[in-house]
Amino acid sequence: DLDQIQEDLKPENKQRLLSLPEDEDLPGLGQHYCVECSRYYVDERSLGEHNRGREHKRRVRDLKAPAYTQKEAEAAVGLVTDNGRTLSTSAAGPLSLLSLKQKNDAAAAAKVASADRTMDTE
């Protein structure tokens, strides 16, 4: 969410969002938009009140921090060691979290099947 809004805050995207044509399906015909919060308001007064509010100020503060990259996310879950080498790799590169989950699920299923077979032989 925040990474998409940071993309919207770039000058060329922000200008495009602030100068949208009128849309009768949006509050205030889509003319009163807060880019930081990604919300439409009914009129300029409502937008001004929102801009002075706690929720808007918190969002602006959060947007000042850079968004996490995929590399940082993988490091957070332990896919990368401190020296930068990847712990588990495939021919295409680091394993995704989905492929690791699938691998773990397959191992768990094999363990259950093995336990069932030993119970049948007893």
Side-chain angles (χ1 to χ4, degrees), residues 66-118:
Y68 290 109
T69 64
Q70 183 64 33
K71 185 176 180 179
E72 291 171 322
E74 289 174 355
V77 296
L79 293 178
V80 178
T81 61
D82 288 340
N83 61 9
R85 289 187 287 174
T86 306
L87 291 175
S88 52
T89 59
S90 65
L95 294 174
S96 69
L97 292 177
L98 179 61
S99 63
L100 288 174
K101 181 183 181 317
Q102 291 168 343
K103 186 177 176 182
N104 288 340
D105 291 346
K111 187 175 183 180
V112 167
S114 173
D116 288 343
R117 275 183 268 146
T118 55

Side-chain angles (χ1 to χ4, degrees), residues 40-91:
Y40 291 93
Y41 290 90
V42 176
D43 55 17
E44 193 65 36
R45 188 175 133 260
S46 298
L47 179 61
E49 288 176 10
H50 162 75
N51 286 339
R52 290 188 299 275
R54 182 184 320 166
E55 179 182 343
H56 176 78
K57 290 177 181 179
R58 183 178 303 142
R59 178 63 63 103
V60 170
R61 185 188 68 226
D62 291 344
L63 288 168
K64 287 181 182 177
Y68 290 109
T69 64
Q70 183 64 33
K71 185 176 180 179
E72 291 171 322
E74 289 174 355
V77 296
L79 293 178
V80 178
T81 61
D82 288 340
N83 61 9
R85 289 187 287 174
T86 306
L87 291 175
S88 52
T89 59
S90 65

Side-chain angles (χ1 to χ4, degrees), residues 23-36:
D23 184 350
E24 62 184 42
D25 293 331
L26 296 172
L29 300 175
Q31 299 303 299
H32 310 285
Y33 183 68
C34 175
V35 178
E36 291 85 357

